[in-house]
Structure formats: C-alpha cells, structure tokens
Amino acid sequence: MRVSRTNRLAVLLTLVLAVPACAAPGRPVDLATVKSVERPRPVGARENPTPKSTEVKPVPACDATASLPPLDPMPTPGEMPAGSTMREIQDAGKLIAGVDQNTFLFGFRNPTTNALEGFDIDRVREIARAIFGDPNRVQFKVVTSLGRVPALENGDVHVVVRTFTATCDRWQDINFSAIYYVAGQRLLVDRASKVTRLDQLGGEKVCAAEGSTSIKTLLDHPADPVPVQVPNWTDCLVMLQQGQVAAVSTDDTILAGMVAQDPNVRMVGPRFTEEPYGIGIPKEDEDMVRFVNGVLEQSVAEGDWADSYDRWLGRTGERRPDPPPLRYRD
Amino acid sequence: MVTVPPPERLAPARRSLLVMPATAMRHARRSATSSPGRLFVIGVALVMLALVTGVVGALAVQEKQDAIDNLIEHREPVAAASQQIYRSLSDADATAASAFLSGGTPPAALRERYELDIAQAGANLAQAAADVAEVPEAQRQVDQLAQQLPVYTGLVETARAYNRQGFPAGAAYLREASGLMRAKLLPAAEELYSIDFRRLADEQAHARAFPWGSTALVLVLLAALVATQLYLTRRTNRLLNIGLVVASGSVVVGLVWGSVALVLESVRIADGHDTGTRQVELAVQARIVALTMRANETLTLVARGDGGVYEEDWKELAPKIGGDGEENLLVRARGLAADAETTAVLDAARQNAADWLALHGRVRELDDGGSYENAIALAVGDGPDGAAAVFTELDANLLRAINNGRTQFVEETTSARAALTGLVPGIAVLSLLAAVGVTMGIRERLREYR
C-alpha cells in the first residue's frame, strides 16, 4: 500500500513537472531597439508652407528701386525742423530701429560683447548720428523677416534696416529709402555636395526664412524644391549642418555670413535674382524717407559706406563693388 | 481539515487516496443526522471558520503594512525624483539662456549650475526609470527623456562653441536646444511627474481603505459562535459553554483591536496625504510655474524685442504665484502647512515671489524703454537685489517647503504603520485561541454522549 502511494505520487510529480516543459521554448526579452530618431528642429521650422503666390493680389508695376529725393539742405544734427518726424524722434530721445540679431555680417549680436553689429546696424547708427549727433541714441528692436512690414505699419519702429528687399508689393504698405546695397539670391550647399543650381534640387529640401523674398522664389521655382521655412536665417545654417536640408537659398550676402561661420559650406551657382536693399520707413513719414536718403548720400560721399563695407563684407574676400547709384522719382 | 472523519471510520477510507474526500463527505452527511454527529460537524466548521478568518485577517493586515512600506520606500521617493527631473531640466534651460545673455565667457557660477542641473536630472531619471516597468505611459515618458536629454546637451555645447568664436550660429543652436526642451523634454517630465503623483495618491487611497471583506468574515464567525452557543443552550439547558465563551471573547478582542488600529492607520495615512503629499504637490507646481516664468523672462530678453510670446506666457502664469487670489498656489500650500516652520517658509516664498514680480516689471520697463543693457544687468546680473538672486531665494524656499512636506509625509505614514504593530501575530494568536476554545467546548459536549 505504502509503495503504491509513493508510486502514484511519483507519477503525479512527473506529470506536474513535465507539463511546463512541453510549453513553447522561452524567448529572450526584447531589447529596447530604437529604429529611427526624430531630429531636433529650429523652433518654428515648417516644411512646404502654402504657396503665397496662389493668393495673388495684383501689384501695380512700379520702379521699386526709386525713392523720394533727399532733403536739401540737410538739417544740422540736434536741430530737426519743427513738426517733422525727425523732430518727434529727437524729442523722444532715441531712434527705434527694427533690426536682425541673427544674420552674421548684417545684423547680429556679438556674443562676446552682447552688442548688435553689422552692415545694417552701421546704417542705423548713421541715421541716429544725423538726428542726435550721437550714433548710440538707438533702441534696437529685433524683428523677424515676417515681422518687418507689420512693425512699420503698427508704428512700433521708426525704421527697419534688415536686409530688406524693396519690392512693389511692399511699396504699397510702406516706404523705402534709396537702395544702399544690391544682393542676389544664390545657393549654399555642403562642401561635399555636387549641386550647383536650384534646378538640381527638385524634391529636395531647401531652407529660407519665413516672409522673405527668397522663400517666394523657392515656392515659385519650376524645379519644385521643397521649401523649408524658418524664423531666422541662421536657423538655415543649423539645419544644413544637421543634414536636415540639402541647401540654403537666399541673398549672397546672408550666405556669405554663413560661409564665414562654417568653412565646410560653400556658395555655388550664379545669382538668379536681384535683391535691392532699402531702409523701410512707415508710409506716412515721407519727410523721414527724404531725410534718410540725405543720410545715405552723405554716407556714400564721405566714404563711411565703403569703410562699413570693408569692415563687414570685406571679410568675404570679394572685391568691394561701387555703392549702388541712389535713384529717385522725379 | 475537511478530511478528518471520526477515527473508527478511517480504515475503509484508506483504500484509496482519491476516493477519500467523497467518502468523508458521505460520512459527514450521515453523521450530521445524529445529534453527536451534528455537533461534531458544527465543531469542525467553526474551527475551520476561525482558522480561515485568522489567516485572511492576518494576510489583509500584512498586505496593508506592505502597502505602507511601499509608499515610504518606493512611491513617494519616485514621485519626488520625477518632480526633481522637471525642476533640474527647467533650471538648466533658464541657466543656459542666462549664461548666453551675460555675454562673453559665461560666469563660472552659471556653468556650474547648468552642469549640476544636468547631472541631477540624469541621476533622478535613473531613479524614476527603475520603477516604470508595469506602467507603459510612464515608460514612454522615461524613454523620451532618456533619448532627448543627450541631444539637448549636445546642442547646448555646440551653441557654446560657436558663442566662444563670436558667431550668431551659437544663438541659433541655443534656440533649437531650448525649443527641444520646451517641446519634448519638459512635457515628458511633467507627464511623468503627474503619473507618479497619481500613483502615489492611488496607493495612499488603497492603503487607507478599510478591509471590509475580512471584517465581514470576522462578523460571520462571531455570529456563528453566538448561534452555536444559543443552540447548545437550548439543547443542554446549560447557560454557557466556557470554550465557546473564550472563542467569542478572542474574536471580539480581535475585532475591536483590528478596527481601532485600522481606523488610526487610515487617519494617519490621510494626514500624510493632506499635510504631506498634497502640500508637496502644490509647492512642486508653484516651483514649476516659477521656473517656467524665469525661463520666459530670460528668453524675452534673448529675443530682444521679438519675445512677445514669452512675455504673454509669463503674464498668464503670474497669478499662480503672486497676489491673494484663489489661483495662488503658494496661498493654497500655506493653507495645508502642518507646522509653523513650513508656514514661515511659505510666507517667505510669497514675499520672494512678490519681490520678483516687482523686479520683473522693472526689467520690462527698462527693456521696453530702450535700456537693454540695464535690463539684462537687473535680470541676470549677480547683484544681491537682482532678479536672479531673488529668484534663487524663491526656489530655495520652495525646495524647503517641499522637503518639509516630504518629512511630514514620512512621519505620518510611519506612524500609520506603527498603529498596525503586533496586529498580524495578534490576529494569528487570537484565531488559534478561538479554534482551541471551540474544540474544547464542543469536545466537552460530545463527551456527554458517550
């Protein structure tokens, strides 16, 4: 009896132990495999923004590069004529200028000194010097490419000096000074890239700043590149360095600033647009437009323009062009 | 227990192990028809019920103790660690922006602070990661944090290198880093911390829930004992059976002891939740709000006139740490403060917050009025009256309030556990006593039939 009970127990035990052994063989626990990584992007970067050109509003033909004739004679600094816009600015004690702090060589914040510097910033200081006799009586307000026209329309700033292309479209809402520099859109690619023309970039991502003339050119280009828009020009350099875009396309001057920051990128191909830079001024302040044009005349005549060019754009290694002729409407 | 029939009937049952339970049942049914047989069955059932009740009750109390230990040793520290992750990351972001604003080579103090923040975030992330295995939602947040934190620090170091060369690409990298922080890291940290606080609150609720099941079982046992006593009294005309009286007595003792201990425990866990956890949570929220506002303050200055969104964000958050409104988290936390010290710390924090809000107004005035350099000096400069110093003090006071709340939690919860001391062995002994009492009492009656 004792034996049989032990036997039964043994059988039971064998069964109990054998059952799990029949189950499927164990598999190692899955590793935490990551197959793709989402790259960080500049804040506000957007792919394929809706083409602006579809909402075509007819723009009357105009000569965008011709401004109002300069004041003659120019008032003495610190003695602006009563009732003028310049007088208001003089009484307020400072010139409020909309500028960029992210575009190397034109308007950028020097991280060592915290001061804003560049070719555009020099233009602002010339205007301040002409009003106050002191180039430092300026309050800088950073505006994005997109925010330039609204800042002038809302009266937030007295002038906008920010690689601002004079176009007939923009002339409808604001005034431009005479043209103080002519840039042209080109292409910036990695040194290793074989691309030389925008035609080769069909379906590829190309970066430009929101609200710029460059992004419009990309949107309308027949090769159909994929425009990626960012709030600031240097964001394009970041995206190019991170391999998130195939190229950056904008004014050669802005691209030159990127080359100066990173010798591993280069500008390629010819200029395919012409971008005349003017100083933006509110529509109603025509006296200010004439005053600023007078300041530009003086700057060119006295060699300040050339000094400023050498200081900032001279480091790109290209020969200094003659200042663009200041043109006026009769 | 079921298989203990009277001794003289055991022999046939031995024939087969497998038929034994059936045989026992048959015997039990047959014997229940006779008086001594019925008495025997009642006795066995009562002994079983007493023992089962003892086991169930002891297990329930043991489970409560384990839940409390888990609160103190895991849940609360993990919740604290995950709020620390948020705090460290947010502070790192604000510090990186301040260092950028100060221009040139950033001050050593800011560099150190940033490094500490990142190290702190990493260490606390490791602690939080050890605990998310069974919560997929928390696991996702930890994954996100662990994947993106190295990317963030990489971007910040790239920004630093470009800044040293004097190129604006540094600012662009810093903007990208800050964007990553605000879009991915901080939301993940916030989600993780709210998950962890929710888990803490859930387990606190679980630890203080009254064990109705076990209590019902005890009441059933008591009723059965009383009914048996009544049955015996009717049958034998003897008023009391000593064994059953002892059994009933020990069940009553167990019931009263258990109820008092559990109610005490529940009250203390609740205190630990209200004056501890809840207060910590409010202080943590206040700290997060303050950090976000500080980051907004510096980013507005970094944007230099283009920072309207940051300032709007700042204004929206301001009532949460300033003013006397119901919205003010500091006021609400103060209402829950357990002791004078915490009250004082929170009052100091309110004062800091008020000072800082006033300073911020001054910073905006300077910046909007064109005195950018002065605005920066006031906002991130190291003067004792600057916004940076006042903010640091506010953060330190909030940390003190959080630590006080944590201590309060541990004290209350530990005392909750103390209320249960000895209850498990107590229940075991009492249920054994009840079983022995029943056995003695029934055997005495059975003997009378011989």
Side-chain angles (χ1 to χ4, degrees):
Chain A
M1 224 188 239
R2 204 157 266 284
V3 177
S4 77
R5 200 153 103 191
T6 322
N7 276 350
R8 248 193 306 256
L9 254 176
V11 170
L12 254 177
L13 262 177
T14 318
L15 271 175
V16 168
L17 290 177
V19 168
C22 296
R27 272 162 34 96
V29 176
D30 283 344
L31 292 175
T33 317
V34 177
K35 295 222 170 61
S36 71
V37 177
E38 203 186 325
R39 282 178 170 153
R41 283 189 147 198
V43 179
R46 227 154 34 100
E47 223 169 88
N48 243 336
T50 343
K52 277 270 165 62
S53 331
T54 53
E55 39 185 89
V56 210
K57 74 178 167 190
V59 180
C62 76
D63 184 357
T65 60
S67 183
L68 303 173
L71 284 186
D72 192 25
M74 284 288 281
T76 322
E79 292 168 26
M80 295 298 119
S84 67
T85 312
M86 293 76 79
R87 181 74 194 200
E88 276 172 38
I89 297 172
Q90 185 193 319
D91 290 346
K94 58 187 193 287
L95 172 72
I96 303 178
V99 296
D100 193 356
Q101 66 166 344
N102 296 298
T103 303
F104 197 41
L105 304 181
F106 271 81
F108 69 100
R109 174 185 174 281
N110 182 335
T112 319
T113 60
N114 245 346
L116 291 179
E117 298 174 356
F119 190 69
D120 280 344
I121 305 296
D122 283 354
R123 301 285 79 71
V124 176
R125 295 203 187 278
E126 278 170 5
I127 301 171
R129 195 177 53 203
I131 297 176
F132 302 99
D134 175 0
N136 294 319
R137 304 276 287 261
V138 184
Q139 178 185 353
F140 290 109
K141 259 204 169 126
V142 171
V143 291
T144 56
S145 298
L146 188 66
R148 290 177 294 196
V149 173
L152 288 168
E153 284 178 327
N154 300 340
D156 295 340
V157 293
H158 297 130
V159 290
V160 165
V161 192
R162 192 195 183 285
T163 56
F164 205 0
T165 305
T167 63
C168 291
D169 187 11
R170 287 171 180 160
W171 261 109
Q172 292 187 301
D173 304 315
I174 58 165
N175 281 321
F176 280 100
S177 72
I179 302 309
Y180 66 93
Y181 190 84
V182 180
Q185 189 166 353
R186 287 183 71 189
L187 215 48
L188 183 82
V189 293
D190 208 85
R191 195 159 275 284
S193 168
K194 292 199 172 60
V195 172
T196 55
R197 287 189 338 272
L198 197 51
D199 309 347
Q200 292 165 287
L201 286 166
E204 301 273 351
K205 292 179 189 166
V206 182
C207 184
E210 186 176 13
S212 64
T213 45
S214 312
I215 193 105
K216 289 199 183 90
T217 312
L218 290 178
L219 284 164
D220 297 341
H221 198 275
D224 277 338
V226 179
V228 176
Q229 72 176 22
V230 291
N232 293 293
W233 282 115
T234 315
D235 295 336
C236 278
L237 176 62
V238 169
M239 289 193 91
L240 184 66
Q241 288 180 337
Q242 291 174 336
Q244 302 195 59
V245 292
V248 180
S249 181
T250 181
D251 308 349
D252 45 6
T253 44
I254 297 174
L255 297 179
M258 297 185 191
V259 175
Q261 295 180 74
D262 181 357
N264 288 303
V265 296
R266 63 189 174 122
M267 245 189 284
V268 293
R271 279 185 173 188
F272 51 87
T273 65
E274 197 157 272
E275 310 286 340
Y277 290 170
I279 294 170
I281 295 162
K283 197 73 191 165
E284 61 275 16
D285 300 343
E286 295 204 340
D287 52 347
M288 184 69 176
V289 178
R290 292 151 67 89
F291 177 77
V292 167
N293 286 343
V295 174
L296 285 175
E297 293 246 324
Q298 284 174 359
S299 170
V300 171
E302 290 164 17
D304 292 340
W305 187 93
D307 289 349
S308 176
Y309 184 96
D310 290 344
R311 180 163 179 221
W312 301 112
L313 305 175
R315 64 172 97 178
T316 58
E318 290 188 33
R319 200 185 54 82
R320 161 154 52 91
D322 289 332
L326 304 175
R327 296 179 54 246
Y328 308 110
R329 299 170 185 181
D330 17 274
Chain B
M1 297 299 150
V2 192
T3 55
V4 186
E8 68 272 23
R9 285 175 183 154
L10 262 178
R14 276 208 188 124
R15 275 189 206 135
S16 160
L17 261 178
L18 297 175
V19 297
M20 204 173 71
T23 322
M25 278 301 291
R26 207 157 49 239
H27 289 311
R29 216 179 299 125
R30 201 179 306 149
S31 59
T33 53
S34 66
S35 264
R38 190 175 302 156
L39 207 51
F40 177 79
V41 169
I42 289 174
V44 169
L46 278 181
V47 167
M48 271 168 48
L49 188 59
L51 292 177
V52 166
T53 308
V55 169
V56 169
L59 280 180
V61 174
Q62 184 62 49
E63 203 251 305
K64 279 233 165 308
Q65 289 185 349
D66 292 346
I68 296 175
D69 287 347
N70 192 42
L71 278 180
I72 297 175
E73 281 159 25
H74 297 291
R75 284 278 67 79
E76 196 276 340
V78 165
S82 57
Q83 70 89 11
Q84 189 63 36
I85 296 175
Y86 188 100
R87 190 264 161 195
S88 305
L89 290 178
S90 187
D91 195 59
D93 194 34
T95 308
S98 295
F100 173 78
L101 270 182
S102 51
T105 314
L110 287 182
R111 165 116 217 175
E112 259 163 44
R113 182 169 177 160
Y114 169 84
E115 283 166 352
L116 264 179
D117 282 335
I118 294 297
Q120 184 104 255
N124 283 293
L125 181 57
Q127 197 172 347
D131 183 71
V132 292
E134 71 276 30
V135 187
E137 190 50 36
Q139 174 82 54
R140 262 199 296 286
Q141 313 308 328
V142 168
D143 268 1
Q144 175 85 305
L145 288 168
Q147 286 181 27
Q148 300 297 337
L149 183 56
V151 178
Y152 172 80
T153 55
L155 292 174
V156 169
E157 294 307 324
T158 311
R160 218 191 290 274
Y162 272 120
N163 276 341
R164 292 193 77 104
Q165 296 176 58
F167 292 144
Y173 271 97
L174 195 67
R175 273 200 306 277
E176 192 178 59
S178 187
L180 176 70
M181 177 62 84
R182 294 176 149 234
K184 290 201 176 151
L185 284 158
L186 289 181
E190 189 166 14
E191 183 58 31
L192 180 65
Y193 123 89
S194 40
I195 291 173
D196 281 334
F197 266 84
R198 220 160 37 232
R199 286 175 77 190
L200 173 59
D202 285 352
E203 292 205 14
Q204 279 173 325
H206 174 69
R208 52 176 298 208
F210 198 80
W212 292 112
S214 319
T215 312
L217 206 54
V218 175
L219 290 176
V220 168
L221 173 61
L222 196 57
L225 284 171
V226 171
T228 308
Q229 178 75 60
L230 290 176
Y231 170 77
L232 285 183
T233 307
R234 212 166 54 230
R235 274 293 168 110
T236 62
N237 293 326
R238 256 171 256 186
L239 208 56
L240 285 177
N241 177 306
I242 300 301
L244 286 181
V245 169
V246 168
S248 309
S250 52
V251 171
V252 169
V253 169
L255 184 64
V256 172
W257 179 5
S259 304
V260 170
L262 285 167
V263 167
L264 265 181
E265 181 252 14
S266 172
V267 166
R268 285 176 184 164
I269 294 272
D271 280 351
H273 179 261
D274 293 341
T275 61
T277 316
R278 190 75 198 104
Q279 200 242 325
V280 168
E281 215 181 338
L282 286 170
V284 165
Q285 279 172 14
R287 204 179 185 203
I288 287 177
V289 165
L291 285 161
T292 314
M293 286 169 65
R294 175 68 179 156
N296 282 328
E297 183 174 70
T298 38
L299 289 173
T300 309
L301 288 170
V302 170
R304 203 167 189 165
D306 188 31
V309 279
Y310 299 123
E311 179 59 15
E312 269 164 38
D313 208 16
W314 191 98
K315 283 197 181 123
E316 210 167 283
L317 290 174
K320 291 196 171 178
I321 58 164
D324 301 319
E326 188 49 29
E327 262 187 279
N328 191 334
L329 295 162
L330 296 173
V331 173
R332 285 166 62 194
R334 190 185 182 278
L336 292 173
D339 50 34
E341 197 204 327
T342 313
T343 312
V345 164
L346 284 166
D347 281 339
R350 277 189 70 191
Q351 187 55 49
N352 297 146
D355 291 348
W356 179 39
L357 297 196
L359 274 172
H360 177 82
R362 183 91 194 93
V363 168
R364 290 315 318 149
E365 230 171 74
L366 284 171
D367 185 22
D368 293 338
S371 308
Y372 184 65
E373 310 300 329
N374 293 337
I376 287 189
L378 187 60
V380 303
D382 46 12
D385 299 328
V390 175
F391 176 78
T392 306
E393 213 172 295
L394 169 64
D395 192 55
N397 275 325
L398 286 174
L399 179 63
R400 237 168 265 146
I402 290 171
N403 285 339
N404 282 356
R406 291 192 63 198
T407 311
Q408 184 69 21
F409 162 85
V410 171
E411 277 170 8
E412 291 290 347
T413 312
T414 309
S415 76
R417 196 186 188 299
L420 301 182
T421 307
L423 193 52
V424 172
I427 288 176
V429 167
L430 286 171
S431 75
L432 274 179
L433 202 58
V436 169
V438 169
T439 313
M440 304 291 278
I442 299 290
R443 199 163 66 184
E444 196 185 317
R445 285 290 158 275
L446 275 175
R447 224 178 257 143
E448 285 166 9
Y449 286 98
R450 295 262 156 84

